[in-house]
């Protein structure tokens, strides 16, 4: 692996997922499983389908269908369950921390690696990351990061490379190609980071993107 001097991260799908302890019981009446691991798997399945279809950031239709199918909703209930999922999931439900990612972030920071977060969000992501025990900007109870950029706050969203400029001012002196950007969306994260001149890496825990022409990791621990 290339050596990096700094790492920027996406938030959704990297540190936090749509809360499976909410979505499990939500989808159970339509035949969905409540098993946490199945919901984690369903998120990445949904993201892979969303990326394959080239869906825009705010278009979650393909994701919803793939998600409910992945947790075992039978064919005749998929459309209805996907509608219920879409009606329930909101920015604040993206709050369930991925323990391995949280641990990897802490270890990177402990190793002296400058890190930050750049997220397409709704104005909530900095507080959600703090409440979920992932990180905060500056000193605090959790891992300290240099900056958390929220697309709603700065008014520009991935894949527009301009969103990264808001973070890169906190990484002065580090060349862009020496800064990795880790996300779970090919369209938003790989595309956006490439356009910004960063080094894109896809978090692909289930190898949904075998053969892709970009760097993939199965766990943030690989960054160490
Ligand atoms: Mg994401």
């Amino acid at each position: 692996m290339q050596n990096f001097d700094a790492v920027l991260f996406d938030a959704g799908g990297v540190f936090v997922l749509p809360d499976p302890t909410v979505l499990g019981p939500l989808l159970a009446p339509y035949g969905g499983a409540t098993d946490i691991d199945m919901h984690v798997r369903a998120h990445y399945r949904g993201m892979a389908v969303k990326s394959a279809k080239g869906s825009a950031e705010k278009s979650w239709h393909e994701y919803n269908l793939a998600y409910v199918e992945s947790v075992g909703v039978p064919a005749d209930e998929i459309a209805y369950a996907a509608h219920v999922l879409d009606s329930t999931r909101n920015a604040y439900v993206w709050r369930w921390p991925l323990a391995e990612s949280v641990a990897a972030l802490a270890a990177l920071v402990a190793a002296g690696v400058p890190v930050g977060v750049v997220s397409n969000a709704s104005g909530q992501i900095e507080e959600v990351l703090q409440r979920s025990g992932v990180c905060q900007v500056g000193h605090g109870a959790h891992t300290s990061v240099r900056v958390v950029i929220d697309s709603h706050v700065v008014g520009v969203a991935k894949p527009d490379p301009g969103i990264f400029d808001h973070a890169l001012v906190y990484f002065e002196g580090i060349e862009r190609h020496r800064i990795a950007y880790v996300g779970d969306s090919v369209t938003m994260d790989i595309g956006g980071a490439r356009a910004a001149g960063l080094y894109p890496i896809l978090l692909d825990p289930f190898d949904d993107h075998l053969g892709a022409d970009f760097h993939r990791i199965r766990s943030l621990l690989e960054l160490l």
Side-chain angles (χ1 to χ4, degrees):
M1 176 179 284
Q2 172 170 347
N3 289 318
F4 308 112
D5 299 323
V7 187
L8 291 171
F9 294 93
D10 178 25
V14 173
F15 293 122
V16 287
L17 290 181
D19 196 336
T21 67
V22 173
L23 301 187
L26 177 79
L27 297 174
Y30 319 110
T34 55
D35 179 74
I36 298 285
D37 290 340
M38 285 185 72
H39 279 260
V40 172
R41 206 283 167 260
H43 169 76
Y44 295 98
R45 170 60 64 198
M47 289 304 295
V49 171
K50 188 173 188 283
S51 287
K53 300 275 185 184
S55 302
E57 177 65 276
K58 292 187 188 305
S59 174
W60 292 89
H61 181 64
E62 305 293 348
Y63 173 101
N64 293 331
L65 294 172
Y67 190 106
V68 301
E69 182 177 28
S70 187
V71 297
V73 172
D76 61 341
E77 290 280 45
I78 283 177
Y80 192 84
H83 174 70
V84 172
L85 174 60
D86 194 52
S87 303
T88 305
R89 187 197 52 235
N90 63 70
Y92 295 93
V93 173
W94 290 78
R95 68 184 184 192
W96 190 79
L98 286 155
E100 188 172 272
S101 293
V102 175
L105 180 71
L108 279 171
V109 170
V113 179
V115 299
V117 175
V118 178
S119 171
N120 281 1
S122 305
Q124 91 295 359
I125 195 62
E126 182 173 350
E127 178 166 352
V128 168
L129 290 174
Q130 186 269 325
R131 286 177 176 268
S132 297
V134 176
C135 64
Q136 76 280 313
V137 176
H139 296 295
H142 312 301
T143 297
S144 297
V145 300
R146 290 193 178 190
V147 63
V148 174
I149 298 298
D150 183 311
S151 62
H152 180 79
V153 173
V154 299
V156 56
K158 298 172 291 183
D160 186 330
I163 189 172
F164 295 102
D165 293 340
H166 294 276
L168 291 172
V169 294
Y170 295 87
F171 295 82
E172 267 186 32
I174 306 175
E175 294 179 74
R176 285 183 179 231
H177 74 273
R178 299 284 304 168
I179 301 176
Y181 183 68
V182 183
D184 67 331
S185 164
V186 177
T187 5
M188 304 302 143
D189 302 326
I190 300 296
R194 266 185 181 151
L198 307 176
Y199 186 83
I201 299 174
L202 189 76
L203 177 59
D204 183 18
F206 300 95
D207 286 328
D208 289 320
H209 300 267
L210 285 171
D213 65 344
F214 44 78
H215 199 132
R216 297 179 301 118
I217 55 175
R218 298 195 72 187
S219 161
L220 296 198
L221 293 171
E222 292 178 38
L223 297 171
L224 292 162

